[in-house]
């Protein structure tokens, strides 16, 4: 038989439980939206951090590749140039690639991915094999007075041998640097995202450099009178002499592959490029950026 004291205790516990349930029923509807908003803000903060990381890494890719578009030497050959084209007007080499029609492409020579100093230039030239070059590859030999081409005639694990195609640099001190022509452009990536690609101009395999890039605009900063200062930015498609190009203005549209704020309602935004085109994107999982890439010689 239950004692009156125990019955009173049970009744008190039941009453406290009922009060707790009532309080939860009142508080939870107020608390859940606040928790959801807190989580959404946290995810939005993480997304902005991912944007900063993406832009920094993509900028490093641009700088690593396009900072070497000028060859070493005191003077730049007037015949050297780079070409900027539109995605809807492709060269034959890119005609079968899935190039973004709203994006620019760049054709240029990458100088100095491998670079060595030469104390006294002789013919033939022999150096340690630290460049990974093959027989038939061409390199550039530069001095303060001139520059000439040389071709790999021997390649072993220990050394490389180059035959000069012009003897005007013999007995001088100079710089030997690799050179390879490429196209850079935006195209469909391996994971279905658009990506930044590099394709050799003559032959060889294409390389996906960075996933998530949707569109790209490239414009040269021109030093018209060659006084060392930029005079203008040019939006014309076509070739530009490396004697006058001091830097590249790069604008790009990107999309985060693993966006933390994907559940958030996107905001449609528009960006007008220096070419006058308008890019429409969904923030915060998509964004735009720009950067100046200074062309560096030796």
């Amino acid at each position: 038989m239950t004692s009156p004291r125990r019955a009173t205790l049970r009744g008190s516990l039941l009453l406290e439980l009922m009060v707790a349930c009532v309080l939860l029923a009142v508080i939870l509807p107020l608390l859940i939206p606040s928790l959801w908003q807190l989580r959404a803000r946290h995810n939005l903060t993480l997304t902005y951090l991912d944007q900063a990381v993406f832009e920094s890494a993509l900028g490093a890719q641009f700088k690593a590749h396009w900072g070497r578009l000028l060859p070493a030497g005191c003077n730049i050959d007037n015949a050297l140039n780079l070409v900027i084209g539109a995605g809807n007007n492709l060269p034959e080499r890119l005609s079968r690639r899935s190039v973004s029609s709203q994006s620019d492409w760049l054709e240029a020579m990458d100088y100095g991915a491998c670079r060595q100093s030469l104390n006294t230039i002789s013919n033939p030239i022999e150096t340690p094999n630290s460049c990974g070059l093959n027989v038939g590859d061409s390199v550039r030999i530069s001095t303060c007075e001139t520059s000439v081409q040389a071709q790999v005639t021997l390649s072993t694990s220990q050394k490389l041998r180059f035959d000069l195609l012009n003897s005007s640099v013999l007995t001088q001190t100079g710089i030997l640097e690799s050179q390879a022509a490429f196209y850079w452009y935006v195209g469909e990536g391996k994971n279905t995202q658009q990506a930044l690609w590099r394709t050799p101009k003559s032959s060889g395999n294409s390389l996906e450099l960075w996933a998530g890039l949707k569109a790209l605009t490239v414009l040269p900063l021109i030093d018209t009178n060659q006084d060392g200062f930029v005079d203008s930015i040019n939006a014309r498609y076509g070739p530009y002499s490396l004697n006058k190009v001091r830097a590249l203005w790069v604008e790009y549209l990107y999309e985060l592959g693993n966006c933390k704020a994907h559940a958030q309602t996107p905001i449609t935004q528009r960006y007008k490029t220096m070419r006058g085109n308008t890019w429409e994107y969904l923030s915060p999982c998509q964004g735009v950026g720009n950067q100046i890439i200074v062309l560096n010689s030796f």
Side-chain angles (χ1 to χ4, degrees):
M1 183 175 180
T2 304
S3 65
R5 183 177 179 181
R6 183 174 295 179
T8 301
L9 180 60
R10 288 182 177 177
S12 177
L13 291 175
L14 181 60
L15 179 61
E16 291 178 2
L17 180 62
M18 292 177 64
V19 171
C21 290
V22 171
L23 289 175
L24 286 175
V26 173
I27 293 174
L28 280 178
L30 302 175
L31 187 61
I32 288 176
S34 297
L35 291 174
W36 185 89
Q37 291 178 1
L38 182 62
R39 182 179 180 182
R41 288 177 183 175
H42 178 67
N43 287 338
L44 184 59
T45 300
L46 292 178
T47 298
Y48 288 142
L49 290 174
D50 288 344
Q51 285 184 352
V53 171
F54 184 99
E55 292 188 24
S56 177
L58 180 59
Q61 286 285 338
F62 290 144
K63 186 176 181 180
H65 290 268
W66 295 346
R68 299 194 303 256
L69 300 187
L70 282 180
C74 303
N75 299 295
I76 304 300
D77 187 342
N78 290 327
L80 301 182
N81 60 33
L82 57 80
V83 181
I84 299 172
N88 57 7
N89 184 20
L90 299 175
E92 177 64 26
R93 177 71 169 142
L94 300 182
S95 60
R96 297 181 183 178
R97 304 287 301 176
S98 57
V99 179
S100 170
S101 60
Q102 64 174 335
S103 183
D104 293 351
W105 51 265
L106 172 67
E107 175 199 334
M109 187 77 73
D110 183 350
Y111 295 97
C114 181
R115 182 174 283 169
Q116 300 179 20
S117 61
L118 302 173
N119 293 327
T120 302
I121 300 174
S122 60
N123 191 21
I125 300 170
E126 290 191 355
T127 69
N129 190 357
S130 58
C131 290
L133 298 174
N134 300 311
V135 173
D137 289 344
S138 293
V139 297
R140 183 181 178 90
I141 311 294
S142 299
T143 69
C144 268
E145 287 73 28
T146 187
S147 62
V148 298
Q149 300 293 314
Q151 192 170 56
V152 181
T153 54
L154 174 67
S155 176
T156 69
S157 58
Q158 287 78 35
K159 68 178 181 179
L160 292 169
R161 180 182 295 159
F162 304 91
D163 282 351
L164 290 175
L165 304 182
N166 186 307
S167 61
S168 61
V169 295
L170 288 176
T171 73
Q172 299 182 53
T173 298
I175 301 296
L176 180 151
E177 61 183 353
S178 59
Q179 57 181 27
F182 294 100
Y183 292 105
W184 289 269
Y185 57 94
V186 174
E188 184 177 343
K190 296 177 181 178
N191 64 351
T192 70
Q193 268 193 305
Q194 295 287 92
L196 176 65
W197 285 84
R198 187 189 74 177
T199 294
K201 182 178 179 180
S202 56
S203 63
N205 295 327
S206 299
L207 178 65
E208 182 179 322
L209 300 176
W210 200 258
L213 188 64
K214 295 175 65 66
L216 179 69
T217 295
V218 183
L219 301 103
L221 301 180
I222 304 298
D223 175 10
T224 305
N225 55 11
Q226 299 183 44
D227 61 354
F229 297 95
V230 172
D231 300 308
S232 64
I233 182 169
N234 202 316
R236 172 185 60 83
Y237 287 120
Y240 289 90
S241 171
L242 285 178
N243 263 327
K244 297 183 178 181
V245 179
R246 291 291 172 262
L248 297 176
W249 174 271
V250 183
E251 299 172 298
Y252 55 88
L253 170 64
Y254 66 90
E255 180 176 25
L256 298 178
N258 184 20
C259 183
K260 306 294 191 303
H262 67 278
Q264 186 169 316
T265 302
I267 302 174
T268 301
Q269 298 198 45
R270 291 173 177 82
Y271 175 83
K272 190 170 184 178
T273 71
M274 293 290 288
R275 290 197 182 282
N277 301 326
T278 300
W279 290 342
E280 188 173 285
Y281 63 99
L282 302 176
S283 177
C285 291
Q286 296 178 352
V288 295
N290 53 68
Q291 186 173 359
I292 294 177
I293 308 299
V294 178
L295 274 58
N296 296 314
S297 59
F298 184 74

